[in-house]
Amino acid sequence: MKKISYLLIVLLSLIACEGDRGPQGPQGIDGGVILGNVYEINRDLLPQNNYSTVFEFPLDIEVFESDVVLVYLLEEVVNDEGGPASVWTPLPQSFFFDDGNQVVYTYNHTYFDVNIFLDGNVNLDTVPDEFIFNKTFRIAIIPAEFAENNPNLNSYESVMQTMPDAKIIKID
């Protein structure tokens, strides 16, 4: 019995030992750092893909049910005093034709991907090429903590200013 007690004491002392402290982990929400992920893609919305494109999130990115996924369309690049400036518009975004018809860039998403597509009340086969080819989108995955504390998610600039550490990853 003494041997078992001695062995138990030795085992407990080994388990309770402390070593050197590990490196500091990343600062959490309370510290003000929010890391989001922003991806930029350039795609054609082709008829054979039903005027849509699917972007699969990288495998090392985990999207939670509470996170927010937003998509922005590069509408134009304007020359400003400071140089060229990109104009990003949140989806869904409608464009109206002179005859009253319209097309809409919109999207839906899962935890694994986002589907960006063109819709409208017009035969999409007749839509001008500028609405189909060479479209640039930014996909922002917003952590839930950020989304809860920032109601202005429609402004691309607002999203990026509050997540200054987010990196824009261009994917071709």
Side-chain angles (χ1 to χ4, degrees):
M1 192 63 158
K2 287 182 182 179
K3 288 182 183 180
I4 293 176
S5 297
Y6 180 74
L7 185 59
L8 189 57
I9 290 172
V10 170
L11 256 161
L12 286 175
S13 67
L14 289 175
I15 293 172
C17 289
E18 288 189 31
D20 291 338
R21 187 163 213 158
Q24 175 90 19
Q27 201 170 15
I29 285 299
D30 293 335
V33 175
I34 300 172
L35 295 177
N37 295 290
V38 180
Y39 300 95
E40 184 173 304
I41 61 172
N42 187 282
R43 301 285 170 86
D44 297 332
L45 303 177
L46 300 173
Q48 58 265 36
N49 296 328
N50 294 318
Y51 298 95
S52 69
T53 186
V54 174
F55 172 71
E56 293 183 8
F57 302 135
L59 294 176
D60 62 335
I61 299 300
E62 189 170 6
V63 179
F64 297 100
E65 181 177 343
S66 56
D67 291 345
V68 176
V69 176
L70 300 173
V71 180
Y72 298 87
L73 168 68
L74 178 61
E75 217 171 313
E76 65 179 318
V77 177
V78 295
N79 287 316
D80 200 355
E81 298 175 359
S86 299
V87 178
W88 295 99
T89 303
L91 299 189
Q93 177 62 35
S94 296
F95 292 90
F96 296 90
F97 298 113
D98 291 337
D99 64 1
N101 287 321
Q102 70 174 349
V103 293
V104 180
Y105 292 97
T106 190
Y107 70 102
N108 56 40
H109 70 88
T110 67
Y111 307 119
F112 309 106
D113 60 25
V114 61
N115 180 29
I116 303 167
F117 56 95
L118 189 62
D119 200 2
N121 64 350
V122 63
N123 179 348
L124 295 178
D125 292 333
T126 65
V127 171
D129 286 350
E130 66 193 60
F131 291 93
I132 307 294
F133 296 102
N134 198 32
K135 304 312 295 180
T136 301
F137 301 95
R138 281 202 176 157
I139 301 157
I141 302 171
I142 314 294
E145 293 86 356
F146 171 82
E148 289 172 0
N149 296 319
N150 294 279
N152 188 12
L153 295 178
N154 284 331
S155 166
Y156 176 77
E157 290 77 18
S158 172
V159 169
M160 294 309 292
Q161 285 174 359
T162 314
M163 295 189 321
D165 295 326
K167 293 183 176 40
I168 299 169
I169 302 165
K170 292 186 180 188
I171 298 176
D172 294 322

